Amino acid sequence: MSLVATFVVLVRSHVVTWEATPFNRMLALVQQDPVVLKYHNGSLLKGNVTVHIHWYGNFTPTHRSVIVDFIQSFGSVPRSRHSPPSVFSWWRTTARYRGGPCTLTVGNQTLDSTYSLGKSLATSHLRALASRNPTAKGNAIHVVLTSADVAVNGFCMSRCGTHASARVERDRVVFVWVGNPATQCPGECAWPFHQPVYGLQTPPLVPPNGDVGIDGMVISLATVVAGAVTNPFGNGYYQGSAMAPLEAVSACTGIFGKGAYPGYTGDVLVDNVTRASYNVVGVHGRKFLLPAMWDPVTSTCKTPV
Ligand SMILES: *[C@@H]1O[C@H](CO)[C@@H](O)[C@H](O)[C@H]1NC(C)=O
Ligand SMILES: *[C@@H]1O[C@H](CO)[C@@H](O)[C@H](O)[C@H]1NC(C)=O
Ligand SMILES: *[C@@H]1O[C@H](CO)[C@@H](O)[C@H](O)[C@H]1NC(C)=O
Ligand SMILES: *[C@@H]1O[C@H](CO)[C@@H](O)[C@H](O)[C@H]1NC(C)=O
């Protein structure tokens, strides 16, 4: 699929898209193509990074609390060493990339429940929306999340989410967008909680927060945020071409547990009451299913379980 660089108003910018349909990439992994993300000498996001969120469209308080809890879990040290794998330990792999750790905290949030730019957005709209949060100086990621009834250029066709950067005055600003795929393309952007469009038809897993769209968004958000931190300006860590790079998590697409193969997530944990599948825990007792992340020390896709 082609990459559409749409932030044309900006002097220097790039957009990295992410698709969830795992089969082509996973076939490459199964064929033992080594996953090696090369470092391209650019800077990464490090230190304290604030994540500002612009909620576009119809998100219920429950939707929002799942995603806010997810982001808060990045920096929340688990209370017991014996608890199951955590979002915190999953994210800690990013500290093994050059330059040390990056700690994410939730910053300002804006609710755009009146669809201020309509229900059909171009990529340039996303950047405009991302800039609506008031922000302090310092490292930040500007996240736009669009609800299930919002069409976004390229959404479902070639992307479940994107990250991008642009120069705004003197600062380099990092953007992330993820759409809720629940009605438009759950088979493309909410696998494994929905039957995939292509490939092996394994039964869908029960989503850990009971919502196919929102739990699918968590997977996409995990993927693009990891890409935004380890390849924020298009010259960090990636494999392949700069125009269609495989990054920290997108290089490991479709792998959630040991023994994964195309169309099978690998062995993950199952909640024996709700039957939901998960592989990490987070704040407020939340459970999430997160994709593997490439570990630069071992050069492997590391699964939480
Ligand atoms: C990174 O910098 C080194 C040393 O300056 C150089 O040899 C190498 O080609 C650079 N790599 C990339 C991908 O730019
Ligand atoms: C990040 O913030 C914490 C407190 O919020 C502070 O102790 C720490 O020094 C900060 N780290 C950096 C790299 O600025
Ligand atoms: C959040 O917005 C307020 C203004 O409404 C601003 O003063 C503050 O610095 C912002 N917070 C962050 C973390 O950027
Ligand atoms: C779920 O499984 C765990 C571990 O096997 C067990 O300790 C717990 O009692 C089970 N819970 C229920 C409600 O069956």
Side-chain angles (χ1 to χ4, degrees):
M1 307 264 182
S2 67
L3 175 134
V4 192
T6 26
F7 294 168
V8 285
V9 289
L10 297 143
V11 183
R12 185 182 172 280
S13 65
H14 78 111
V15 182
V16 174
T17 66
W18 136 253
E19 304 161 51
T21 318
F23 307 103
N24 44 0
R25 281 178 200 158
M26 282 206 63
L27 276 173
L29 291 173
V30 165
Q31 288 156 6
Q32 313 271 296
D33 291 359
V35 180
V36 178
L37 308 196
K38 199 171 159 215
Y39 175 58
H40 295 77
N41 292 352
S43 41
L44 275 54
L45 295 189
K46 291 294 167 189
N48 292 327
V49 173
T50 311
V51 179
H52 301 288
I53 308 173
H54 188 78
W55 303 93
Y56 191 85
N58 176 27
F59 286 97
T60 66
T62 307
H63 291 160
R64 298 201 306 268
S65 69
V66 171
I67 288 177
V68 168
D69 283 352
F70 172 56
I71 297 170
Q72 280 178 345
S73 302
F74 280 53
S76 169
V77 185
R79 251 174 274 149
S80 154
R81 290 181 63 226
H82 305 292
S83 44
S86 59
V87 178
F88 177 82
S89 57
W90 172 84
W91 182 247
R92 208 169 42 188
T93 297
T94 60
R96 291 157 76 94
Y97 286 66
R98 194 176 267 265
C102 169
T103 306
L104 301 185
T105 47
V106 177
N108 283 327
Q109 300 183 53
T110 43
L111 299 183
D112 195 336
S113 49
T114 60
Y115 304 84
S116 62
L117 298 178
K119 287 195 175 178
S120 180
L121 303 179
T123 313
S124 55
H125 293 136
L126 298 176
R127 201 195 75 83
L129 293 170
S131 309
R132 290 211 178 155
N133 264 309
T135 58
K137 278 268 166 225
N139 281 335
I141 299 176
H142 297 259
V143 176
V144 175
L145 301 174
T146 51
S147 61
D149 52 351
V150 176
V152 175
N153 182 29
F155 184 34
C156 297
M157 312 292 288
S158 59
R159 50 176 88 166
C160 305
T162 55
H163 73 83
S165 72
R167 202 174 277 279
V168 176
E169 295 172 4
R170 285 181 159 197
D171 296 326
R172 288 199 287 189
V173 183
V174 174
F175 305 102
V176 157
W177 158 72
V178 171
N180 184 337
T183 51
Q184 298 178 58
C185 59
E188 262 132 6
C189 297
W191 184 83
F193 306 124
H194 191 277
Q195 295 278 129
V197 177
Y198 315 101
L200 190 65
Q201 298 294 305
T202 44
L205 304 182
V206 176
N209 297 285
D211 190 307
V212 169
I214 298 296
D215 280 303
M217 286 180 88
V218 166
I219 293 174
S220 295
L221 196 55
T223 306
V224 290
V225 166
V229 164
T230 58
N231 186 30
F233 310 114
N235 54 9
Y237 283 84
Y238 62 87
Q239 182 179 35
S241 93
M243 291 304 283
L246 295 180
E247 301 176 321
V249 171
S250 60
C252 303
T253 289
I255 301 172
F256 295 83
K258 303 235 162 10
Y261 54 81
Y264 174 61
T265 56
D267 301 330
V268 297
L269 305 173
V270 176
D271 183 304
N272 50 11
V273 177
T274 64
R275 310 309 301 164
S277 292
Y278 69 102
N279 57 11
V280 290
V281 295
V283 298
H284 301 140
R286 291 263 184 217
K287 294 178 166 125
F288 301 102
L289 185 65
L290 295 185
M293 189 186 299
W294 187 74
D295 181 339
V297 176
T298 59
S299 263
T300 55
C301 286
K302 189 157 85 186
T303 57
V305 291

